[in-house]
Amino acid sequence: IEKKTKQKNIYLVFNKPVGIVCTTNRRVEPDNIIDFIKYPKRIFPIGRLDKPSEGLIFLTNDGDIVNKILRARNNHEKEYIVSVNRQINREFVQSMSSGVEILETITKNCFVKQLGPKKFKIILTQGLNRQIRRMCETLGYRVKSLKRVRIMNIKLDIPTGKYREFTKEELQELNRLLKKSSKTFN
């Protein structure tokens, strides 16, 4: 009997292009994230970015880290740059910041800053399905582009469609931030 060696954990930063689906289902052709990346070992995405969105997503083979990052009550920040179809104003920024009713709940307070006439930055600690798009729709806006630029301590720093491994420093800081995080619902 061969002694099974412990598999080395893989942690990748990927800049997902628009049109790629965050699924490990290989039947979703040709635009599933696994076939797009063509990584030589089995990995899976941590969380999702919907097909029309782009930007930062992590991929790993470490099942333990996934729930720690994704649990909303762990309050881990995710930052996005969003463009909408019409001019935004102080009222829009205030409404987005203080919570919007979607999916039979009110979103948690979040940080929102206007960056241009139709562009804003938003930092969420929640991850409801299509949350930013739904929040905007509730307020009468349509998202034209949505790009995630940061998850916790890791910033998007690579071209669209490319990936890289976490740096040693990024992984150390991520583990420090996750130390008190729960990976279960209890």
Side-chain angles (χ1 to χ4, degrees):
I1 297 175
E2 281 184 47
K3 186 177 180 182
K4 189 173 179 175
T5 56
K6 186 169 175 2
Q7 183 175 303
K8 181 181 181 281
N9 285 336
I10 299 162
Y11 303 100
L12 301 179
V13 170
F14 175 53
N15 188 348
K16 181 190 104 53
V18 169
I20 298 302
V21 180
C22 292
T23 181
T24 56
N25 183 348
R26 307 297 282 276
R27 288 186 296 248
V28 176
E29 290 181 6
D31 45 10
N32 74 72
I33 196 168
I34 302 303
D35 286 343
F36 183 88
I37 289 181
K38 295 180 175 65
Y39 195 78
K41 294 198 164 74
R42 189 165 179 258
I43 54 172
F44 49 88
I46 299 178
R48 303 179 61 89
L49 269 175
D50 60 7
K51 190 173 181 175
S53 299
E54 63 180 313
L56 181 61
I57 189 157
F58 298 158
L59 292 108
T60 187
N61 62 349
D62 178 2
D64 279 347
I65 202 169
V66 175
N67 288 333
K68 287 182 178 183
I69 290 174
L70 296 180
R71 288 281 168 266
R73 74 156 185 256
N74 290 335
N75 292 314
H76 299 310
E77 292 184 348
K78 294 177 224 60
E79 181 177 335
Y80 303 81
I81 304 296
V82 185
S83 294
V84 290
N85 63 325
R86 60 190 185 91
Q87 190 126 359
I88 58 179
N89 54 31
R90 197 175 15 240
E91 202 177 302
F92 171 85
V93 171
Q94 179 58 40
S95 295
M96 289 289 283
S97 300
S98 57
V100 176
E101 189 174 338
I102 62 168
L103 301 171
E104 299 175 11
T105 189
I106 295 178
T107 58
K108 290 169 88 173
N109 289 357
C110 62
F111 176 84
V112 178
K113 179 182 180 186
Q114 186 168 350
L115 301 176
K118 299 178 182 181
K119 191 177 199 175
F120 65 96
K121 168 170 62 172
I122 183 167
I123 301 174
L124 301 177
T125 58
Q126 202 172 11
L128 301 175
N129 182 268
R130 298 173 60 89
Q131 180 172 345
I132 297 168
R133 291 178 190 280
R134 290 177 197 268
M135 290 170 74
C136 289
E137 286 167 14
T138 297
L139 299 175
Y141 290 77
R142 194 176 76 254
V143 170
K144 304 277 275 177
S145 69
L146 189 153
K147 183 173 194 167
R148 183 161 50 203
V149 295
R150 181 175 62 88
I151 300 172
M152 298 172 64
N153 63 304
I154 299 174
K155 292 182 177 149
L156 186 61
D157 62 356
I158 52 177
T160 303
K162 301 295 181 195
Y163 68 85
R164 66 168 175 82
E165 292 185 3
F166 283 27
T167 66
K168 192 172 128 189
E169 294 76 23
E170 285 171 335
L171 193 53
Q172 285 173 339
E173 177 63 6
L174 187 71
N175 283 323
R176 188 189 70 73
L177 293 169
L178 292 174
K179 203 173 221 76
K180 293 185 179 120
S181 296
S182 168
K183 64 181 179 182
T184 63
F185 288 107
N186 299 349

